[in-house]
Structures are given as C-alpha cells and as structure tokens.
Amino acid sequence: MTAEMFPKEKTIDLRKKHIGPSCKVFFSHDPIKIVRAKGQYMYDENGVRYLDCINNVAHVGHSHPMVVKAGAEQMELLNTNSRFLHDNLVQYAQRLQATLPEKLSVCYFVNSGSEANDLALRLAWEYTGHKDVITLDNAYHGHVSSLINISPYKFHQLANAEQSKSVHVALSPDLYRGNYRQDHPDPATAYADDVNNLIQKAHEKGHKVGAFIAESLQSCGGQVIPPAGYFQKVAQHVHQAGGLFIADEVQVGFGRVGTHFWAFQLQGEDFVPDIVTMGKPIGNGHPMSCVVTTREVAEAFKNSGMEYFNTFGGNPVSCAIGLAVLDVIEKEDLQGNALRVGGYLMRLLEQQKEKHPLVGDIRGRGLFVGAELVRDRVKLTPATAEAQDIIYKLKEQHILLSADGPHRNVLKFKPPMCFSEEDADMVVEKIDEILTGTLNAPLSPSSFPSISLAFTDLILAVPVCRH
Amino acid sequence: MTAEMFPKEKTIDLRKKHIGPSCKVFFSHDPIKIVRAKGQYMYDENGVRYLDCINNVAHVGHSHPMVVKAGAEQMELLNTNSRFLHDNLVQYAQRLQATLPEKLSVCYFVNSGSEANDLALRLAWEYTGHKDVITLDNAYHGHVSSLINISPYKFHQLANAEQSKSVHVALSPDLYRGNYRQDHPDPATAYADDVNNLIQKAHEKGHKVGAFIAESLQSCGGQVIPPAGYFQKVAQHVHQAGGLFIADEVQVGFGRVGTHFWAFQLQGEDFVPDIVTMGKPIGNGHPMSCVVTTREVAEAFKNSGMEYFNTFGGNPVSCAIGLAVLDVIEKEDLQGNALRVGGYLMRLLEQQKEKHPLVGDIRGRGLFVGAELVRDRVKLTPATAEAQDIIYKLKEQHILLSADGPHRNVLKFKPPMCFSEEDADMVVEKIDEILTGTLNAPLSPSSFPSISLAFTDLILAVPVCRH
C-alpha cells in the first residue's frame, strides 16, 4: 500500500520549486520518500522498510491505532477553540497535572514547542519584571525570533550573529567535553557557579535576570546529561536573583528517560522548576504543546491585563489525542520499555566503545541515548565526517539514525518508545559492521555522498511493535 | 449525542483550577459548553443548537465530513516531518500557489498564524537587513512576543506598555472613524502618506524599515476595509525605503471576501505583496498555517546560513486536511456563497441602519461584515455597552456573535462559509427585535450579566448546510 501521487523525481522538483529552501531534507544527496509508517518502522514508496531510531515525535509509535481513533472520532464530533467549555480540555489538564509536582498546576495549551517556550519567556518576564535570560551553550529552544535569540545552536550558524545584550550563555554541563568533566570533584556546583557568575555580571551592568532556561537533557546540544544536583543549585542562584527556572521538556519528556515521567526529575525529588514546557511527543505528531506553571506565575500573567488566547491551542481534537497518548504510554508500559530497552541499548553501545576507539562516550537515560565519536580519546577530536558516514551507511541498510551536537559527531538515538531489544541489536550490529569495515578502509568525508542502493529491504527477524 | 464527561459546574471548576486564567471563555457570566458541531451550527450538552456567526476557523463548516475523512485516513497512514519527501506537501504547496500571483511561489508550512507572522518578520529582516516594522493602529498579528510588539490591539492592554523603538504605528485606514473618512477626496493617498511620514521619521533617527505589515482587512481592529489603492501606495513607499510588504490573510483569506480568493486582491490586480501569511481557515480547525513569499526573499533567507525547520509544519496529515479544505471550497462554491450571502447580509443590515440610529455603519466584503454601533452618528460615540448587551441577548436566542474593534462596539460577522440567507435572516431579525426593544427599555451596562435561560432551542425553518 502506498500513497504516492508523483514519481520521486517530480516530488523533488516540486519541492525545489515550492518549498522554502531553508527547510532541509534528510539525506539530501538521495532523500527518502516515506509513504506510510507503523510502530518504529517507516516504509518508502517501494515498500522498503526502515527502522526508525530518530522520530521521538512518534512517541508511542507511528500511526498508533488508539491515537488515530481518538483523533478521528473527535474531529467528527467537534473541533473548536477554548473559549467554549469542553471536558477534553480540563480532563487533559488534570491528567497532565497528575504527572507533575503539585505546585505545577496551571496549563496553557499551544501548538508547538516554539510557542510553548516563547510563552514561558513571556510568563517569566511578566512575573519577574526582569528581561534577561540565561541559556546554555549549544541550546536549541525553537524557531520563533525570541527563541533564536536564546538558542546558541542556531545563532552560531549566522556569519554575522549579533547576540542580544539581554541573553547570557552559560557553560553546557557536559561531563565529557565541557569545562568540568567526570574527573572533577563537584561538576554540579562548578557549572552552577558559572550561571551565578553570569548573574553577577548582568547585575554589574544594571541588568536583571528573569529566567534561566534549559532542556532537562540537552538534545540538539549533543545528548548532554547534566550532573544530578545541578538544577537545584542553578535554581537557588536564579531565584535569589528574582528569576524563574524554565525546564524545557519538549524533546525529553513523557517517560522517555524510563525511570521518571519527566527528565527534570532525574535531578532529584527536591527539584521543581517554575515553568515546564512540553511539545513534540505530546500528540504523537499532532501539532500541540503545553506550558505548565504555578498558580502564582499564572496570576501575575493574568494581572498584566493582557489576555492570552491561542486559536488552536487546547482544542477538543488535540486534547483527545493527548489523552490517548497518555493512555497508550500507561497501557503499554512504554516508560518501562524505555527503561529496559534503553538500558539494553546502552550496554550494547558500551561494548562498541570497548571494541572501537572511535566510540568515545556513551551516555543516556532510557530511550534518549548518545554515542559521541572522536578521533582521539584524549584530545576528543570530533569525528564529524565519520559520524556522517555511519549515518549514510546505516541509511543504505534501511536504518534511520542522526548525528547532532555542536560538532555533529554524536549519534543520537531517540526512537519511538515501542523500540525493542531486537531493534537495538539490529542497529548496533550494523554500526559494529560499519566500524569494523572502517578499520580496514579509513573513512573520508568524500565517501558519504556515494549512496549505494544495492541493499533492498532487509528481511530480519524483528518482531513488530505491540500495536 | 453528547460527549460530556463532567457536569458543567465541574468543568468550570476544573478549568479554574488547571487552565491559565488569561485564557477567557465566551460569555464568562454563563459560559457555553459545546459538545458537537456541524456546518454553521454548534450544540451544547443539552442538545440546544446555536447558530454560529463567529467561527471563521471552521471555514468550510464545522466537522466537514470530507475534511474529517482526509485527516483520519492520512493519520492512519503516516504523520511525520518534512525532512522526508512526501507528495501531500508538494501538492498542497502547488495548489496554494495556484491561487496566488505567480511571483508568490515559495511556501513555508508552520502551525499557527503567530508562527507564520513571526517567520514573515524573520524573512523580511533577513532579506532587507533592516529591523524596523510599521504596523497599523489597533492591529493584532499574534501572541508570540515578537508579534505582541507589533500589535497595538494587545500592547494597549498593558498598563505599563513599553512600545519597542523599532516599531512604528501607522493610522488605521478606517473610513468611518479614522483620520480620513468617506468625505475625504483621496483617503488612500492620505493614509499611505502617513506611512511614508513614519518612514521618514525613522530615517531621521537612523533607523531603517524592514517591513510594513497589515491584515488585508483589519479584523480585531474593527472590520476595517482599507480604501482601494492604499496598499499599492504604501508598497511604493515601503519598497523605496528597502522594506517589504507583508499581507496578513490569517483571518480574511481563502475566499471569505467573495469576489476574490485573497483579501489583498480587493486592492486591485496591480497589487502583489512580498509575503503573504495565512492561518485560521486553512485547516478548518486543524493547527496549521503557511507563509508564502518570492524566490528572492526565500533565497536570501537560506543564504543567511541558518536552517529553518518546523517539527509539525507541513506534515502529511496537515497537508491532506489543507487539500481537502481547498477541494470543499471549490466543490461547494463557498467563495460564491460568501459573495451571495454576504451581500444579502449587508443589505439586511443596511435596512437596520435606516431603522435604528444606533447602527452607525455597515461595512464588509463577502462573509466578513461589521456593524458599528454608535450612540451619536455625528460624534460617533461608541455604543460599547449596547454592543455587549446585543451579544448577550443573541446568545439567549442561541445565536453566537461577537463585538470587537478598539471600542468593542463593532458587531463582527465571520461565520463558517456555508452560512445561508436563512441564517442571515434569522440573526438580523433577532438584532432588529433587540434594537426595537431597546427603544422602549434603554440598555444599561448592568443589564448584560443577567442571563435568561427561558429560551430553549429555537425550532426555525433553517435549512442545514450542504454537508
């Protein structure tokens, strides 16, 4: 079954003609046309199956029937805005709240992680009356203009990048490549002190800090896992300066880390952010997102006198879909699966690290895992071209993986949460084969545009996802 | 058939507890709980039917079966991001392009009108290298922080509003209440000259103008219809200053004005904006939106070196829904219906203007119509409380209408496009009855919180929408 209307060449031509060229496709030398997907598998126009290790948006598995059914049934009944009362909205808010610490009780429903993070900034600005924002190096928080300003991952791409004077970039709490590493006696305090230094410098210039924002685990920034206790110490400094702590869970929330529902909870039970933003996995691909905050922050925002209305945010269809996603996570124990399969994947990758010098570091929590590739384990020279080569070779083997981080040398696993141990076996086995081949024939950057189509669909004994 | 889980009081309680208090409900004294909708009708939890004169988002009619089917079928098959090739994306871009002047050929798909307008600003800033923006008084362009800055409708709500130094507010080209009125010999030139004055003043301060942005017809600003030729003259001034013209069609596009598919086309065939943003009606309630621009602007944005990626934007489900909306508009001749029924509604309202001194002005195009209420036809004293009273009384009669504009005294019609002449008869007849009653018992602001629930569902011979 395919849903192809045009031959692939025609699709590519029309895309070049009518779609903004800033929106890049995967594997631009030979992009993939996907026509259907199920669970952790995607299928191209010829029925070739790809194992999906990258689409964290399809959180409970592509086209999950329970989610599709909930969306379709609600679309048939009603899809309208939140100026009318609707039970889906309040029930969904109640269900989300139940996953969070009690003081995070007020929800704002929006359409994307970008809208969520922009609103989080507005809440913080209004509550604190302070304009400055502290962000982490290599952070990415979204594509609207206010968020480009606080996303070094993006603004470093600009030749003539002009950093806003009210934005301060703190050290990324990266224990592998950062300023303070595994061998440091107390990296949590050291990295938090850097934030405090920025606060003090801002004060010296007469500025005031309204918010510190960080992904609970940095994703585009290179799958960075901050040391436990770091957020508590940062929050202390930021609160003392009158600012708020915003935890961006857009990429890492909803049970992905396995042990907890939210990644900020990895820091310890004594840590509660002032604002949490959530996005990508929330609707399994449906455009929806949410900001949750405390009653105090919500009331201050209201008291500004400016109404907040979001046309599509919190509509009954989005909420029905959101509720179904929560149901599936629970029913299929996907958080438990993330813990088990993620742990298994980490162990397999650790074996690769022992075997191949190129594999410098394995880090992750649950089904959020990074493998950082380096040419030299002491100098940590990023193996950027090698990472690209692996990604392209995996694609030839019909496995979708990506490389990210500031040096694009971190293999990034964030698959649908129904990913299985057999899937983990398959991808790591292929990486092993590629790296073993590498030892015989050194990789070069020029090698990766050459795409072989010799491999067709791999008939492997991979059990299908539970749905 | 209802989809109620909680008694209404419980819904209200949960909403107070868990939903941001800045998001207001309609008729806050006695809000409506809507559980299903079809065509131009919405139904509450007791099965009471409301005639919907306000939901322009449900463009082709609430829960249109063709749109629901397209969305459900595509959800079942695939919903993923635009880094994979997909025919829905390119076909939809091609279909949208076919409705626009040829030079507007490059699309960026996003999730909301706010994301669209923010991206439009980013495109203009990057293409021109200029930062300043000219916006119209009373304009509303969205809720993200960059757009609050250019939305006087919003920032006037703040007690301590601090207008950005790079934002300049031009006169709203309002021929009824504005600086230059119907009796002015050339209001188009006069209003455009005001824009030019702002440009010159910005230049004097060493600023440079990157963009002029305006809704093609001002919606929240009070259903303002700019004089024909105004946009051409503004574009001339703005282009001369090196800036771009952004036409915001989020509320007024997609055939609503009847004679044309886009409201900017009302200005004349010789006018083509540099960027067009579209939103609300595009997906009949599904969160989606689009920015269309020229190849030159798109290439300049690409050449900045910063990638643009939108997680949900242009996904196959959104595009399937967008295509279905275009199909329905065509198949059911909804643009023609907007022209016919909109004209009929205007004639009925004109009769009200002759009959009731409170009705000061009737203006509109197609199914985008405003009736401005004034206490004095010479002084134009806004009849704000009276407008609120009418809205509340109509609600008692199960008709949903809203009042907007800077003085909240403009009755605002923007119904689903399947609105019928019988619907128009019904709402105007009720307005007539209310206004006639008014003459006997003067309205007072204190009268509107008193909600009578004496009227149950009105059994009127109103034909149902074609679907």
Side-chain angles (χ1 to χ4, degrees):
Chain A
M1 179 176 59
T2 67
E4 203 186 22
M5 283 174 273
F6 305 123
K8 189 169 175 177
E9 276 314 308
K10 169 93 172 167
T11 309
I12 294 172
D13 282 354
L14 282 172
R15 182 159 176 138
K16 280 186 189 154
K17 205 169 160 192
H18 291 306
I19 303 297
S22 306
C23 317
K24 300 218 176 89
V25 292
F26 283 131
F27 310 108
S28 55
H29 302 293
D30 182 39
I32 307 177
K33 187 168 184 177
I34 295 293
V35 297
R36 67 187 178 94
K38 204 81 190 167
Q40 66 274 50
Y41 303 108
M42 305 183 90
Y43 300 84
D44 73 9
E45 77 281 16
N46 299 314
V48 174
R49 189 184 77 181
Y50 289 82
L51 172 64
D52 180 1
C53 306
I54 53 175
N55 282 301
N56 56 338
V57 174
H59 193 63
V60 300
H62 289 279
S63 298
H64 193 293
M66 274 179 69
V67 178
V68 172
K69 186 166 176 276
E73 285 182 357
Q74 187 57 54
M75 278 168 74
E76 221 170 295
L77 214 52
L78 175 71
N79 185 8
T80 194
N81 68 63
S82 64
R83 291 199 191 274
F84 299 100
L85 297 175
H86 200 280
D87 289 339
N88 287 6
L89 176 73
V90 297
Q91 201 202 10
Y92 186 44
Q94 201 181 22
R95 285 280 298 277
L96 279 180
Q97 205 283 310
T99 68
L100 287 159
E102 208 178 338
K103 77 165 199 172
L104 292 167
S105 66
V106 185
C107 302
Y108 299 82
F109 291 102
V110 298
N111 306 300
S112 67
S114 291
E115 285 194 1
N117 282 331
D118 181 87
L119 177 57
L121 293 180
R122 290 186 58 200
L123 290 167
W125 287 329
E126 197 58 47
Y127 179 78
T128 65
H130 302 174
K131 277 288 161 200
D132 285 23
V133 178
I134 300 178
T135 186
L136 294 182
D137 202 11
N138 309 318
Y140 175 61
H141 294 292
H143 54 71
V144 301
S145 46
S146 62
L147 303 175
I148 298 291
N149 283 344
I150 62 163
S151 296
Y153 181 80
K154 296 299 280 186
F155 68 64
H156 285 337
Q157 289 173 15
L158 290 177
N160 52 352
E162 190 189 327
Q163 197 183 312
S164 161
K165 286 188 177 59
S166 58
V167 174
H168 313 281
V169 179
L171 293 171
S172 167
D174 177 350
L175 299 179
Y176 181 67
R177 184 181 287 282
N179 280 28
Y180 313 112
R181 300 182 182 175
Q182 293 288 8
D183 57 356
H184 189 281
D186 186 3
T189 301
Y191 281 118
D193 283 349
D194 175 61
V195 173
N196 196 30
N197 286 341
L198 289 176
I199 293 172
Q200 301 318 322
K201 278 187 197 162
H203 287 178
E204 283 164 22
K205 289 181 201 152
H207 288 221
K208 284 180 172 176
V209 173
F212 169 87
I213 183 168
E215 283 185 282
S216 299
L217 309 175
Q218 263 197 330
S219 181
C220 297
Q223 310 288 92
V224 173
I225 319 287
Y230 168 66
F231 281 1
Q232 287 88 327
K233 292 175 205 292
V234 169
Q236 219 173 349
H237 297 311
V238 172
H239 287 157
Q240 200 158 1
L244 297 183
F245 191 114
I246 303 169
D248 176 344
E249 293 268 343
V250 170
Q251 297 232 32
V252 294
F254 286 87
R256 177 163 294 279
V257 299
T259 49
H260 299 81
F261 199 78
W262 300 106
F264 72 78
Q265 294 170 322
L266 292 168
Q267 290 279 314
E269 280 191 11
D270 55 332
F271 174 68
V272 181
D274 303 295
I275 301 174
V276 173
T277 60
M278 41 193 83
K280 296 190 195 298
I282 193 172
N284 217 45
H286 185 81
M288 54 187 287
S289 195
C290 185
V291 181
V292 188
T293 190
T294 62
R295 173 60 53 192
E296 292 69 34
V297 173
E299 292 296 333
F301 189 58
K302 180 195 163 203
N303 294 338
S304 75
M306 194 189 286
E307 209 209 343
Y308 181 81
F309 175 65
N310 189 303
T311 299
F312 304 124
N315 71 69
V317 174
S318 298
C319 293
I321 287 173
L323 282 163
V325 169
L326 292 177
D327 285 342
V328 176
I329 293 173
E330 209 169 294
K331 202 175 151 206
E332 301 187 1
D333 185 25
L334 292 179
Q335 186 179 323
N337 190 64
L339 184 63
R340 286 184 296 275
V341 177
Y344 181 76
L345 174 64
M346 290 269 286
R347 289 193 292 280
L348 293 182
L349 289 169
E350 284 291 354
Q351 290 165 10
Q352 293 297 305
K353 183 178 156 188
E354 283 166 30
K355 194 169 167 187
H356 303 291
L358 195 73
V359 182
D361 189 39
I362 303 300
R363 53 184 181 260
R365 293 290 183 275
L367 279 173
F368 180 82
V369 175
E372 179 151 0
L373 306 185
V374 290
R375 288 182 188 157
D376 181 313
R377 286 193 176 179
V378 178
K379 291 183 193 156
L380 305 187
T381 323
T384 305
E386 292 85 343
Q388 289 301 314
D389 192 86
I390 289 169
I391 297 306
Y392 265 87
K393 286 197 168 128
L394 283 173
K395 181 228 176 190
E396 290 170 32
Q397 309 266 341
H398 309 126
I399 295 172
L400 302 173
L401 194 68
S402 66
D404 214 331
H407 307 289
R408 306 289 188 275
N409 68 324
V410 182
L411 302 180
K412 189 172 165 181
F413 296 81
K414 49 183 179 81
M417 298 268 285
C418 52
F419 204 72
S420 70
E421 294 191 354
E422 291 79 3
D423 296 326
D425 282 331
M426 181 174 159
V427 58
V428 178
E429 189 183 306
K430 290 296 156 194
I431 290 172
D432 189 21
E433 285 177 23
I434 294 166
L435 290 175
T436 305
T438 310
L439 296 175
N440 303 328
L443 295 166
S444 76
S446 64
S447 70
F448 57 82
S450 68
I451 302 304
S452 153
L453 289 172
F455 298 90
T456 51
D457 199 12
L458 291 167
I459 312 301
L460 287 171
V462 181
V464 293
C465 197
R466 258 167 293 180
H467 43 84
Chain B
M1 180 175 60
T2 68
E4 204 185 22
M5 283 175 274
F6 306 122
K8 189 169 174 177
E9 275 315 308
K10 169 93 171 164
T11 309
I12 293 172
D13 282 354
L14 284 172
R15 182 160 174 137
K16 280 184 188 153
K17 204 167 163 194
H18 292 306
I19 304 297
S22 307
C23 317
K24 301 217 176 91
V25 291
F26 283 130
F27 310 107
S28 53
H29 302 293
D30 182 38
I32 307 177
K33 187 168 184 178
I34 295 292
V35 298
R36 66 186 178 95
K38 204 82 189 166
Q40 65 274 50
Y41 303 108
M42 305 184 90
Y43 300 83
D44 75 9
E45 76 281 17
N46 299 314
V48 174
R49 190 184 77 181
Y50 288 81
L51 171 64
D52 179 0
C53 306
I54 54 176
N55 281 300
N56 55 339
V57 173
H59 193 63
V60 301
H62 288 279
S63 298
H64 193 292
M66 274 179 68
V67 178
V68 172
K69 187 167 177 273
E73 285 181 357
Q74 186 58 52
M75 278 168 74
E76 220 170 293
L77 213 53
L78 174 71
N79 185 9
T80 194
N81 68 63
S82 64
R83 292 199 192 274
F84 300 100
L85 297 175
H86 200 281
D87 288 339
N88 286 6
L89 175 72
V90 297
Q91 202 203 9
Y92 186 44
Q94 201 180 23
R95 286 279 298 277
L96 279 180
Q97 205 281 311
T99 68
L100 286 159
E102 210 178 336
K103 77 166 200 172
L104 292 166
S105 65
V106 184
C107 302
Y108 299 82
F109 290 102
V110 298
N111 306 300
S112 67
S114 291
E115 284 194 2
N117 283 330
D118 182 87
L119 178 56
L121 292 180
R122 290 186 59 201
L123 290 167
W125 287 329
E126 197 58 47
Y127 179 78
T128 66
H130 302 173
K131 277 289 164 201
D132 285 23
V133 178
I134 299 178
T135 187
L136 293 182
D137 202 10
N138 309 318
Y140 176 60
H141 294 291
H143 55 70
V144 301
S145 47
S146 61
L147 303 176
I148 298 292
N149 283 344
I150 61 163
S151 295
Y153 181 82
K154 295 300 279 187
F155 68 63
H156 284 339
Q157 289 174 14
L158 290 176
N160 53 351
E162 190 190 326
Q163 196 182 314
S164 163
K165 286 188 178 58
S166 58
V167 174
H168 313 281
V169 179
L171 294 171
S172 167
D174 178 348
L175 298 180
Y176 181 66
R177 183 181 288 282
N179 280 28
Y180 314 112
R181 300 182 182 176
Q182 293 288 7
D183 57 355
H184 189 282
D186 186 3
T189 299
Y191 281 118
D193 283 348
D194 176 60
V195 173
N196 196 31
N197 286 341
L198 289 176
I199 293 172
Q200 300 319 321
K201 278 186 197 161
H203 286 179
E204 282 162 23
K205 290 180 200 151
H207 287 222
K208 284 178 173 177
V209 173
F212 170 87
I213 184 168
E215 284 187 281
S216 299
L217 309 175
Q218 264 196 329
S219 180
C220 297
Q223 311 288 92
V224 173
I225 319 286
Y230 168 65
F231 281 1
Q232 286 89 325
K233 291 175 207 292
V234 169
Q236 218 173 350
H237 296 313
V238 172
H239 286 157
Q240 200 159 3
L244 296 183
F245 192 114
I246 303 169
D248 177 343
E249 293 268 343
V250 169
Q251 298 231 35
V252 293
F254 285 88
R256 177 163 294 278
V257 298
T259 48
H260 300 80
F261 199 79
W262 301 106
F264 71 77
Q265 294 170 322
L266 292 169
Q267 289 279 313
E269 281 192 11
D270 54 332
F271 174 68
V272 180
D274 302 297
I275 301 174
V276 174
T277 60
M278 42 192 85
K280 297 189 195 298
I282 192 170
N284 218 45
H286 185 81
M288 55 187 285
S289 195
C290 185
V291 182
V292 188
T293 190
T294 62
R295 172 60 52 192
E296 292 67 35
V297 172
E299 291 296 333
F301 190 58
K302 181 195 163 202
N303 293 338
S304 75
M306 194 188 287
E307 209 209 343
Y308 181 81
F309 176 65
N310 189 303
T311 298
F312 305 124
N315 71 69
V317 174
S318 298
C319 293
I321 286 173
L323 282 163
V325 169
L326 292 179
D327 285 342
V328 176
I329 292 174
E330 209 169 293
K331 202 175 151 209
E332 300 187 1
D333 185 27
L334 292 179
Q335 185 180 323
N337 191 63
L339 184 63
R340 283 185 298 275
V341 177
Y344 181 76
L345 174 63
M346 290 269 286
R347 287 192 294 278
L348 293 181
L349 290 169
E350 283 291 350
Q351 290 165 10
Q352 293 298 303
K353 183 178 154 188
E354 282 165 30
K355 193 168 167 188
H356 303 290
L358 195 73
V359 182
D361 189 39
I362 303 299
R363 53 184 180 259
R365 296 287 183 276
L367 279 172
F368 181 82
V369 175
E372 179 151 359
L373 306 185
V374 290
R375 286 179 190 159
D376 181 314
R377 285 193 177 180
V378 177
K379 292 183 193 154
L380 305 186
T381 324
T384 305
E386 293 84 343
Q388 290 301 313
D389 191 86
I390 290 170
I391 297 306
Y392 265 87
K393 288 198 167 127
L394 283 173
K395 181 224 176 194
E396 290 169 32
Q397 309 264 343
H398 309 126
I399 295 173
L400 303 172
L401 194 68
S402 67
D404 214 330
H407 307 289
R408 306 293 186 271
N409 68 323
V410 182
L411 302 179
K412 189 172 163 179
F413 297 81
K414 49 184 180 80
M417 297 268 284
C418 52
F419 204 73
S420 70
E421 293 191 354
E422 291 78 3
D423 297 326
D425 281 331
M426 180 173 160
V427 58
V428 178
E429 190 183 305
K430 290 295 156 195
I431 290 172
D432 189 20
E433 286 177 20
I434 295 166
L435 290 176
T436 304
T438 309
L439 296 174
N440 303 328
L443 296 165
S444 77
S446 65
S447 70
F448 56 82
S450 67
I451 302 304
S452 153
L453 288 174
F455 298 91
T456 51
D457 199 10
L458 292 166
I459 312 302
L460 285 171
V462 181
V464 294
C465 197
R466 258 166 294 180
H467 42 84

